[in-house]
Amino acid sequence: MSEAALSTTAEGSGVVQDFSADKQAFHVPWGKAMMWIFLLSDTFIFSCFLVGYMTVRMSTADPWPIPSEVFALSFGGDPIPLVLIAIMTFILITSSGTMAMAVNMGYRKDRKRTFWLMLATAALGASFVGMQAFEWTKLIVDEGVRPWGNPMGAAQFGSSFFMITGFHGLHVSAGVIYLLVIAFRVKNGFYEKRGGNYEIVEIVGLYWHFVDLVWVFIFAFFYLW
């Protein structure tokens, strides 16, 4: 066999070896890459919802309810605008802090503190969902708002509100369950038996920070606009 033919054969086998060796261009763990792809797809969905909401709000001819009045709460005196929403936002931002500390403790392999910080994050998330349920009940029972109608003005107010906040609430509820599952696995030493890799805590953190970030946009566009 000629030298040229031998060289071509060697190059061909080198390419085959490269592609069959499971090499990585970017050293990103599989689980983290999948979470980023999921969050990217979720970003498109929430963006479509918010753009649709803005389009409906700017194009409707009926008066749009004033959020500071609709979402006000009274504690024995004058109603306080957006007080419940402010508390809900504070709770979610605080939960981002506890989640970030849980990720830090996870990389330090401090199982006990990771567990309790993840449990605190889940408790804050559950509180947020509870307050959202209260907000929905108040709107449906006291204000008479429905997905197909609204006695205070534009009918699209109810449909856009329930769709956007409901979809976000589902994400928070799923996040609470996800947090609890991983937290108890951390506590039981599940990851310690698998080489002490606590990368899953960071993956949960990515999801949780995303949910918190989406709420900031919902808060700005729906409650402050």
Side-chain angles (χ1 to χ4, degrees), residues 12-36:
S13 62
V15 170
V16 170
Q17 284 176 358
D18 282 345
F19 277 92
S20 61
D22 197 24
K23 292 185 180 297
Q24 289 180 286
F26 304 100
H27 295 285
V28 179
W30 182 253
K32 196 184 290 185
M34 290 300 102
M35 178 55 78
W36 274 115

Side-chain angles (χ1 to χ4, degrees), residues 105 109-118 186-187:
M105 291 301 148
K109 303 186 188 302
D110 189 334
R111 283 170 46 198
K112 187 177 179 183
R113 288 182 181 176
T114 303
F115 168 73
W116 283 111
L117 284 166
M118 292 185 78
V186 169
K187 183 186 177 189

Side-chain angles (χ1 to χ4, degrees), residues 162-205:
F162 289 123
M163 181 180 68
I164 294 173
T165 60
F167 193 60
H168 179 264
L170 280 176
H171 276 70
V172 178
S173 302
V176 169
I177 296 169
Y178 191 18
L179 277 165
L180 289 175
V181 170
I182 302 301
F184 279 98
R185 281 187 168 187
V186 169
K187 183 186 177 189
N188 296 333
F190 180 84
Y191 302 108
E192 203 65 36
K193 297 170 188 170
R194 298 191 169 198
N197 186 355
Y198 288 89
E199 195 176 79
I200 187 67
V201 180
E202 185 183 356
I203 294 173
V204 181

Side-chain angles (χ1 to χ4, degrees), residues 39-172:
L39 296 182
L40 185 64
S41 64
D42 236 17
T43 301
F44 286 125
I45 295 173
F46 275 109
S47 299
C48 289
F49 281 172
L50 289 175
V51 170
Y53 159 72
M54 288 189 286
T55 305
V56 164
R57 181 160 178 181
M58 288 187 289
S59 61
T60 182
D62 296 322
W64 197 266
I66 302 171
S68 59
E69 295 178 0
V70 177
F71 300 106
L73 273 186
S74 179
F75 296 97
D78 295 331
I80 305 173
L82 300 177
V83 61
L84 181 64
I85 312 303
I87 294 171
M88 290 166 66
T89 305
F90 176 76
I91 283 175
L92 267 195
I93 292 172
T94 305
S95 72
S96 261
T98 54
M99 189 67 238
M101 288 191 285
V103 172
N104 187 13
M105 291 301 148
Y107 276 112
R108 294 184 185 190
K109 303 186 188 302
D110 189 334
R111 283 170 46 198
K112 187 177 179 183
R113 288 182 181 176
T114 303
F115 168 73
W116 283 111
L117 284 166
M118 292 185 78
L119 206 62
T121 307
L124 289 168
S127 303
F128 176 88
V129 174
M131 290 183 184
Q132 194 171 48
F134 172 78
E135 183 191 30
W136 274 42
T137 304
K138 180 176 175 295
L139 276 182
I140 294 171
V141 177
D142 297 343
E143 309 290 347
V145 178
R146 302 287 187 274
W148 54 87
N150 167 34
M152 295 173 282
Q156 297 91 340
F157 171 81
S159 55
S160 54
F161 173 79
F162 289 123
M163 181 180 68
I164 294 173
T165 60
F167 193 60
H168 179 264
L170 280 176
H171 276 70
V172 178

